[in-house]
């Protein structure tokens, strides 16, 4: 049968497919050269059928394995960007990426506008489209009002909303549309046919669009980009095409047949925009996606061009509605981001919307159904539009039917890799064009088609069991037997049996005219599609009759489409059009837009400037032909006219050259300075093929707006009572799991939304910082999950969000406590200048946590890499959680010889060696007051530390402001003596606190010498701050008269003085029949060090392990520090951990020494009886009335920490009471600092807030320094 072309309209001046596309001014400037493995793989221009014996059907040609020069490494371009790189505003926002959206993005980018394109589906390139049923089902999304056989409808929805295939179920007709970067162009049949002149003249069009000359320019422009061409005469003959021509002749329509111009490539080489393409492998898989690289979708032309000119495209972004920009011109486009499995949060995905600002224009190109739905929803949220929106829609008169089991080989069943002798061809290659009618509405076209492989499993059963089939009549016995054998052949040998009934089935696609009575409405925020007068019309029955004749003429059974036959005369269309149709009179009474596509702001002539429809929604009636050529032309026209109106000059002339889709755009519009770090991170991950991890989280709660309440928990309670609800919906993403789990910060990106009743939102969160289980520098052994990000509202308000979850050993062995800790976020919201405007808490609800678990998703180059990434993340998370939950049994933290995080190191002004009366040498440091030298007079303070410590407890380098710094700033000269039981080598000799009184006396003598040198007069009395054992030693020296009371101006007694009384655990240890110090002295030796290492002997290692279980009080005091454990054993717990920062706690070995058993025994004896004593064996009680009389006249300020686990707070209370009773109340004060322990009164990270000022108040009163304590 000859394959001649009878008629080929509207394809004049087709571009030469072999013409070079690189000889242009932009070819060199684009810098798109192939220089490495990550460049697009160049395809030599040649015609496949002349160089390959098997023709273009060879298996190697049928599916692209990779776009790199290494086919063993699957790698596909990505011209879309992660939403993490979205900017808050652009000049232009384009919604959808089909023909209309592609045109708008390309032309606006060429107009040097910053362009953001939002696409609901994903980005897939040839080689990534599904072929098998199970893969296709994963990409199927079904939604709509299911109304079978005139029954009451019910809403159904299932599948991935971003899937490639979207079946919209309606009442009267159903629609099949495509989602993905490229829209329905990814799945259509590529037929480029212009609108018939008769249809063009119908009254539904405005006058501006009734002229053929007006259309010619834009059809031509579309043709230049899309490059349609008919199926070549020198390509293999296609049985289905031959059969359609034969059928046309047999039913008297032979003169109406011709080969259609189609946007399928039949030669290898670059297309019009510079993208390398391949010749068709004739697979017939158009309806599910062509994998051979021959399909001219908008992805490979308009969108690739837009990318090269700087447009930024984002996938999995479903636009919901558009609102006017509250700040003036422009629009806010609200969308649901489906990435990072956010759809798992079904209650939030369409409530917590992201948004982007369009400063100038919004182009709606989401398809007829999508654009109409968006504008209907926009109307509901306040956008004024025409009342006609959602009405007058059409299915373009589409009819799908089959000629089953004909007498001829057809090969209409798609095959991903067809045999050379059995080509299927592109989906549509020929047409019976009967549009030339007196009444344009009587026109129609019939095209042959294909069925994709994914439907082959149940294709035959569907064809044989559909009701309403029309079998041929008058067949003789021979033909009847042949028909039966063909049916059994397909059943037994499968659908691809060459002589079977399935491979002898013709697929019919009709486009005609319907009554344009379809409507789309929103009910409960869901779109309901209702077509009237479609499947029930006489016109459809007439067309079905023609198809029945055509089928019978070749011995086939006519089978109506499954929807028509099984669901009560319902049709299915792949060409839903209208819904925001162009007005024929320039007002909103008769259409949704003016002739330019600008949306009417009501029913009059006024339009929303810059809000433009540019897709099939504009088409006012059925076209009776494949519509994409007309849609593209309409879009070209609308974009050009809007650009002129906006003063935008579009560059149509500059060519791209061959595009390197793995490189960077040649003509970027926006600077990437603010995105550089994120872009580099993502780019490096792609280059290195690293694996990533991500998840999505929803937290809700209450945040009080205002700075009047400082406590976060209190603010949250007030917010709850005031209904100040808040919520965030954030996705966490790391592109490098290895870095994420191994770096100290464990940082990743945050993207999503935040809303709060007290703020005008919703706020967009872009490129925030999430840190998982990072060390809280404010508290030892405390892990934080932190959320820090800037956020912006549609009103332009910029705020900062700081949130943290606190996970510390207080949750050890407490599942509910662990859940509360990991699900409670403490939030502070500030202005950019850090002024606080809100505080509160957010929580993870159990139902949201269940959804969060579903969203954990890994990325990587292959399945193994993804599995490894997931395992690495879960291992890290489990390990960190276990270290806290099982805190007493976690790895011990041994001291390391480092001096990190020393943030407050001040030079010592002078160091003195003081010699006691018994010849013992001690060291004393001196710091001059700020702004004064050593020879300047200044009031003096002598600091006396406790046992096993030195001056560093007062001059602690790991906190922002220590006691020495504080009092120097207050004008005091500070001395500190490290006595013989402190952190000094002398302590090893077994001296006691009683002996240390001699060191204090020597220190006072040295201070007085310095004073005398400075003043040249009698030395001033000295104020003393004494802590713990230092305070005990001072009291002993005063009580026994060793230290002259007349030298002392006043005292601050820290946590203990002359009546040391042990706290509970220490009292138990001190009260044992055999003293613990004696046991240790016998078994180990006379010295106990607070530090230890892994190299220590077995006895010390055993002690370290046993001390895991040492009773430290509440669970919050559990830690894994060996130094902390060991110091607690000999002295009691020295602090409330929350008061130390991590730097201090991690370096305790730098600040703590040890104790001799003699010194410890003396302290235990005094703590047991509650009074200071002389050395054993006499152990004389020194707290007598006579001795106490020596203290008369010395003002003393006593204080204790309420949580002191060394000396019970009553220690200072008893001393205070005894002295007050003896000498009156005027000289004595006492304070208990709530929440403080022992050493943290001086070493605490925030002791400067309460302890230091209160001590200074006493000193200033005694020294008579006038200060302001506000």
């Amino acid at each position: 049968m000859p394959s001649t072309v009878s008629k080929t309209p509207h394809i004049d001046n087709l571009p030469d497919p072999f013409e070079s596309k690189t000889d242009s001014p932009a070819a060199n400037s684009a810098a798109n050269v192939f220089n490495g493995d990550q460049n697009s793989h160049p395809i030599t221009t040649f015609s496949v059928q002349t160089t390959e014996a098997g023709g273009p059907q060879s298996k190697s040609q049928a599916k692209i394995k990779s776009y790199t020069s290494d086919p063993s490494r699957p790698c596909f371009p990505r011209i879309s960007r992660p939403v993490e790189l979205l900017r808050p505003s652009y000049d232009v926002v384009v919604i959808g990426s089909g023909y209309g959206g592609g045109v708008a993005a390309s032309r606006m980018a060429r107009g040097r506008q910053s362009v953001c394109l939002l696409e609901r589906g994903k980005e897939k390139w040839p080689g990534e489209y599904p072929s098998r049923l199970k893969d296709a089902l994963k990409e199927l999304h079904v939604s709509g009002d299911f109304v079978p056989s005139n029954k009451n409808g019910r809403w159904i929805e299932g599948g991935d909303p971003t899937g490639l295939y979207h079946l919209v179920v309606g009442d009267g007709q159903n629609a099949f549309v495509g989602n993905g970067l490229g829209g329905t162009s990814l799945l259509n049949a590529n037929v480029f046919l212009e609108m018939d002149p008769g249809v063009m003249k119908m009254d539904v069009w405005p006058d501006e669009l009734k002229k053929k000359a007006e259309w010619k320019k834009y059809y031509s422009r579309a043709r230049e980009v899309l490059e349609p061409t008919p199926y070549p005469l020198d390509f293999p003959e296609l049985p289905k095409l031959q059969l359609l021509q034969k059928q046309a002749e047999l039913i008297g329509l032979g003169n109406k047949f011709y080969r259609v111009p189609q946007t399928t490539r039949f030669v290898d080489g670059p297309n019009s925009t510079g993208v390398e393409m391949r010749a068709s492998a004739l697979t017939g898989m158009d309806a599910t996606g062509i994998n051979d690289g021959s399909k001219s979708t908008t992805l490979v032309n308009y969108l690739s061009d837009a990318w090269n000119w700087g447009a930024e495209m984002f996938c999995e972004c479903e636009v919901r509605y558009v609102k006017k920009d509250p700040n003036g011109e422009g629009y806010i486009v609200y969308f649901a981001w489906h990435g990072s499995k956010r759809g798992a949060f079904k209650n939030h995905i369409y409530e917590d919307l992201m948004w982007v600002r369009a400063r100038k224009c919004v182009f709606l190109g989401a398809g007829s159904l999508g654009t109409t739905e968006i504008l209907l929803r926009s109307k509901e949220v306040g956008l004024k539009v025409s009342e006609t929106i959602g009405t007058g829609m059409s299915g373009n008169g589409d009819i799908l039917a089959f000629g089953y089991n004909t007498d001829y080989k057809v090969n209409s069943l798609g095959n991903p890799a067809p045999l050379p002798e059995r080509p299927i061809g592109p989906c549509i290659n020929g047409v019976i064009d009967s549009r030339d009618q007196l009444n344009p509405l009587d026109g129609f076209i019939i095209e042959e088609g294909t069925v994709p492989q994914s439907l082959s499993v149940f294709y035959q059963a569907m064809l044989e069991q559909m009701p309403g089939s029309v079998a041929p009549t008058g067949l003789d016995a021979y033909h009847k037997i042949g028909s039966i054998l063909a049916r059994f052949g397909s059943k037994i040998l499968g659908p691809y049996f060459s002589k079977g009934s399935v491979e002898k089935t013709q697929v019919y696609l009709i486009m005609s005219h319907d009554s344009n009575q379809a409507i789309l409405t929103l009910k409960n925020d869901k779109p309901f599609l209702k077509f009237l007068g479609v499947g029930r019309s006489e016109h459809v029955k007439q067309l079905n009759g023609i198809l029945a004749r055509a089928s019978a003429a070749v011995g086939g059974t006519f089978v109506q489409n499954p929807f028509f036959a099984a669901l009560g005369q319902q049709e299915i269309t792949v060409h839903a059009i209208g819904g925001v149709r162009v007005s024929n009179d320039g007002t909103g009474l008769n259409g949704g837009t003016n002739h330019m596509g600008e949306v009417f702001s009501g029913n009059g002539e006024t339009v929303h400037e810059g809000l433009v429809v540019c897709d099939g929604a504009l088409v006012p009636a059925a076209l009776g032909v494949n519509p994409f050529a007309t849609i593209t032309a309409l879009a070209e026209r609308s974009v050009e006219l809007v650009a002129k109106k906006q003063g935008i000059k579009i560059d149509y002339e500059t060519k791209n050259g061959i595009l390197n889709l793995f490189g960077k755009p040649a003509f970027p519009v926006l600077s990437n300075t603010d995105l550089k770090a994120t872009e580099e991170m993502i780019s490096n991950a792609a280059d290195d093929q690293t694996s990533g991890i991500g998840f999505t989280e929803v937290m809700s709660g209450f945040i009080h707006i205002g700075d009047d309440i400082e406590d976060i928990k209190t603010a949250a309670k007030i917010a709850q009572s005031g209904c100040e609800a808040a919520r965030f919906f954030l996705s966490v993403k790391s592109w490098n799991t290895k870095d994420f789990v191994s770096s100290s910060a464990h940082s990743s990106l945050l993207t999503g939304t935040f809303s709060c009743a007290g703020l005008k939102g919703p706020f967009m969160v872009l490129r925030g910082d999430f840190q998982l289980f990072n060390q809280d520098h404010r508290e030892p052994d405390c892990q934080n999950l932190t959320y820090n990000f800037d956020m912006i509202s549609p009103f332009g308000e910029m705020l900062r969000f700081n949130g943290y979850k606190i996970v510390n050993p207080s949750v050890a062995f407490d599942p509910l406590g662990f859940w509360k800790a990991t699900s409670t976020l403490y939030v502070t919201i500030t202005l950019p200048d850090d002024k606080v405007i809100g505080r509160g808490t957010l929580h993870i609800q159990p139902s949201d946590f269940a959804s969060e678990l579903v969203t954990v998703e890994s990325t990587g180059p292959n399945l193994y890499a993804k599995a490894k990434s997931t395992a690495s993340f879960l291992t890290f998370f489990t390990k960190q959680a276990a270290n806290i939950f099982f805190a007493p049994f976690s790895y011990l933290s041994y001291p390391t010889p480092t001096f990190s995080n020393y943030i407050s190191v001040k030079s010592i002004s002078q160091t003195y060696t003081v010699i006691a009366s018994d010849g013992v040498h001690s060291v004393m440091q001196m710091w001059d007051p700020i702004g004064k030298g050593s020879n300047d007079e200044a009031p003096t303070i002598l600091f006396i530390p406790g046992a096993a410590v030195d001056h560093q407890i007062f001059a602690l380098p790991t906190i922002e402001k220590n006691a020495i710094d504080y009092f120097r700033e207050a004008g005091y000269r500070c001395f500190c003596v490290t006595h013989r039981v402190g952190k000094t080598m002398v302590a090893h000799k077994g001296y006691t606190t009683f002996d240390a009184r001699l060191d204090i006396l020597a220190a006072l003598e040295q201070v007085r010498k310095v004073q005398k040198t400075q003043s040249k007069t009698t030395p001033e009395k000295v104020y003393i701050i004494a802590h713990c054992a230092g305070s005990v030693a001072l009291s002993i020296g005063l009580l026994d008269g060793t230290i002259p009371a007349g030298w002392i101006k006043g005292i601050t007694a820290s946590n203990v003085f002359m009546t040391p009384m042990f706290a509970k655990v220490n009292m138990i240890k001190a009260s044992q029949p055999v003293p613990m110090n004696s046991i240790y002295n016998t078994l180990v030796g006379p010295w106990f060090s607070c530090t230890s290492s892994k190299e220590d002997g077995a006895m010390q290692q055993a002690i370290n392990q046993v001390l895991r279980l040492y009773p430290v009080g509440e669970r919050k005091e559990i830690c894994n520090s060996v130094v902390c454990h060991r110091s607690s054993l000999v002295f009691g717990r020295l602090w409330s951990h929350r008061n130390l920062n991590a730097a201090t706690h991690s370096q305790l070995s730098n600040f703590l020494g040890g104790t001799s058993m003699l010194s410890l025994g003396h302290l235990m004896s005094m703590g047991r009886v509650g009074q200071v004593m002389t050395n054993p064996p006499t152990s004389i009680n020194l707290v007598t009335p006579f001795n106490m009389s020596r203290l008369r006249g010395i003002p003393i300020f006593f204080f204790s920490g309420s949580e002191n686990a060394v000396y019970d707070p009553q220690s200072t209370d008893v001393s205070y009471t005894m002295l007050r009773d003896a000498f009156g109340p005027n000289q004595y004060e006492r304070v208990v600092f709530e929440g403080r322990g022992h050493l943290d009164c001086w070493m605490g990270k925030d002791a400067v807030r309460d302890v230091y000022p209160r001590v200074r108040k006493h000193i200033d009163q005694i020294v008579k320094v006038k200060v302001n304590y506000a």
Side-chain angles (χ1 to χ4, degrees), residues 949-950 952-959 961-963 1027 1134-1135 1139-1141 1144-1145 1147-1148 1150-1152 1236 1238-1248 1251-1252:
V949 293
D950 59 11
Q952 292 181 106
I953 71 166
F954 302 113
L956 192 65
T958 53
I959 58 177
K961 183 172 289 188
N962 56 49
H1027 171 73
L1134 293 173
W1135 35 66
N1139 294 326
L1140 298 189
N1141 61 27
T1144 301
H1145 191 260
Q1147 298 176 93
L1148 290 175
N1150 295 338
F1151 313 129
L1152 294 177
R1236 295 206 174 273
H1238 188 70
L1239 266 177
D1240 50 312
C1241 291
W1242 297 104
M1243 300 174 69
K1245 59 181 180 289
D1246 57 355
V1248 69
V1251 178
Y1252 301 171

Side-chain angles (χ1 to χ4, degrees), residues 94-105 298 363-365 614-616 631-632 635 639:
V94 178
I95 303 171
S97 60
Y99 293 101
V103 168
T298 60
F363 289 93
L364 292 111
C614 60
D615 60 13
I631 293 171
T632 307
V639 173

Side-chain angles (χ1 to χ4, degrees), residues 913-924:
T913 299
V914 295
I915 304 173
S917 59
D918 60 356
V920 174
H921 290 58
S922 299
V923 174
M924 182 171 68

Side-chain angles (χ1 to χ4, degrees), residues 654-665:
T654 304
K655 304 300 181 183
N656 292 324
I658 298 177
L659 296 183
N660 175 10
L661 297 173
F662 291 96
K664 295 182 179 180

Side-chain angles (χ1 to χ4, degrees), residues 167-186:
L167 177 61
V168 180
V169 181
D171 181 1
Q173 189 161 16
N174 308 276
F176 180 77
V177 297
N179 291 324
L181 196 61
T184 304
S185 76
L186 300 172

Side-chain angles (χ1 to χ4, degrees), residues 780-782 809 883 887-896 1088-1093 1103-1110 1112 1117-1129 1134-1135 1137 1140-1152:
D781 288 341
C782 178
N883 283 341
F889 304 103
S890 62
Y891 291 107
L892 290 176
S893 175
Y894 285 87
T896 56
F1088 182 90
S1089 175
C1090 292
T1091 64
S1092 181
S1093 71
I1103 292 174
N1104 294 339
Q1105 296 301 324
V1106 170
L1107 288 178
R1108 292 175 180 272
L1109 304 178
Y1110 181 85
V1112 293
E1117 303 298 345
I1118 296 172
C1119 74
N1120 61 1
S1121 168
V1122 168
V1123 179
C1124 191
H1125 292 175
R1126 292 174 69 90
S1127 62
S1128 295
L1129 174 64
L1134 293 173
W1135 35 66
H1137 279 80
L1140 298 189
N1141 61 27
T1144 301
H1145 191 260
S1146 64
Q1147 298 176 93
L1148 290 175
S1149 59
N1150 295 338
F1151 313 129
L1152 294 177

